[in-house]
Amino acid sequence: MSNNDDKKLVAHRTIEAPADAIFDVLTNPKRHKEFDGSGFIRSEDQGDRVKEVGEVFTMNMDGPHMGGEYKTDNHVTGYAKDRLVAWKTAPAGTEPPGWEWVWELEPKGQRETEVTLTYDWSKVTDKELLKKVKFPLVDQDGLDDSLQRLSALF
C-alpha cells in the first residue's frame, strides 16, 4: 500500500511482531542488510546501535548509480523509542544533500505493528545533483520489499 507524491514514496505493512522487537532491528545498523529492499547495502562499516538524534552510522554500499562500491554516512534525524527512527543519507564524509529515510511504528495490540517506511527526497535542492541522480534511487517495489524482508525476520 502506498501514498506518494512527486518527491516522496511511502509504504505500509502490518508486521506480526511487537514494536519494540522491530525497533530493535531498525536501530541496529549491523542488521540493515537483512531488510534492504534496494540491494545497495553490503554491510555496516561503522556505527553502534542508534540511540539518539545526531548520531552517524556508516554503511558499505554498492550500486551502478555510484559506479560500484561506495560508503554512506547516515545522520540520525529522528528518534522516539519503539516509535520512530529516521536518517538522512550522504556520501561518506559529506553533509546530507536532502534525502531521508523515516521508519514509523504504530502498535496494533501486543503482537502486531503497523510499519510505515517513507523515502523523502523533497529537500534535495542541489540542481547539479538533481541532474546527475535520477530520484527515486529506490522505487516503490524496493520499499515494499524492505517491509516484506523486515516482516520475514519475525
Side-chain angles (χ1 to χ4, degrees):
M1 182 177 173
S2 65
N3 175 17
N4 305 324
D5 61 31
D6 289 356
K7 297 185 180 194
K8 182 188 298 187
L9 294 175
V10 181
H12 306 276
R13 185 178 185 110
T14 299
I15 295 178
E16 290 185 38
D20 62 339
I22 297 169
F23 191 77
D24 186 66
V25 171
L26 294 174
T27 57
N28 183 352
K30 288 175 177 41
R31 299 205 61 190
H32 285 194
K33 181 174 176 30
E34 296 175 50
F35 59 87
D36 171 35
S38 74
F40 299 149
I41 295 175
R42 294 297 167 245
S43 63
E44 172 267 345
D45 184 75
Q46 175 280 317
D48 297 321
R49 178 173 302 283
V50 173
K51 294 182 185 142
E52 63 185 358
V53 169
E55 294 178 338
V56 177
F57 60 93
T58 303
M59 302 299 286
N60 296 310
M61 311 287 284
D62 190 6
H65 60 285
M66 293 291 283
E69 293 183 9
Y70 62 101
K71 291 180 190 254
T72 59
D73 287 340
N74 299 278
H75 300 253
V76 179
T77 55
Y79 183 93
K81 185 160 175 39
D82 300 339
R83 303 288 290 187
L84 167 86
V85 64
W87 55 83
K88 288 186 177 175
T89 301
T94 68
E95 287 302 309
W99 64 89
E100 184 173 34
W101 296 94
V102 180
W103 294 85
E104 298 171 275
L105 308 177
E106 184 180 333
K108 299 289 186 189
Q110 293 183 350
R111 296 174 189 226
E112 287 188 335
T113 304
E114 176 76 17
V115 180
T116 301
L117 171 56
T118 302
Y119 171 37
D120 182 349
W121 63 96
S122 64
K123 295 180 182 90
V124 176
T125 57
D126 182 324
K127 291 188 187 326
E128 289 304 309
L129 177 65
L130 288 168
K131 284 180 191 173
K132 283 191 242 177
V133 177
K134 182 171 176 0
F135 285 96
L137 283 175
V138 180
D139 63 13
Q140 185 69 48
D141 288 342
L143 267 67
D144 292 338
D145 189 44
S146 288
L147 290 176
Q148 187 281 324
R149 289 168 176 260
L150 182 64
S151 181
L153 296 175
F154 299 95

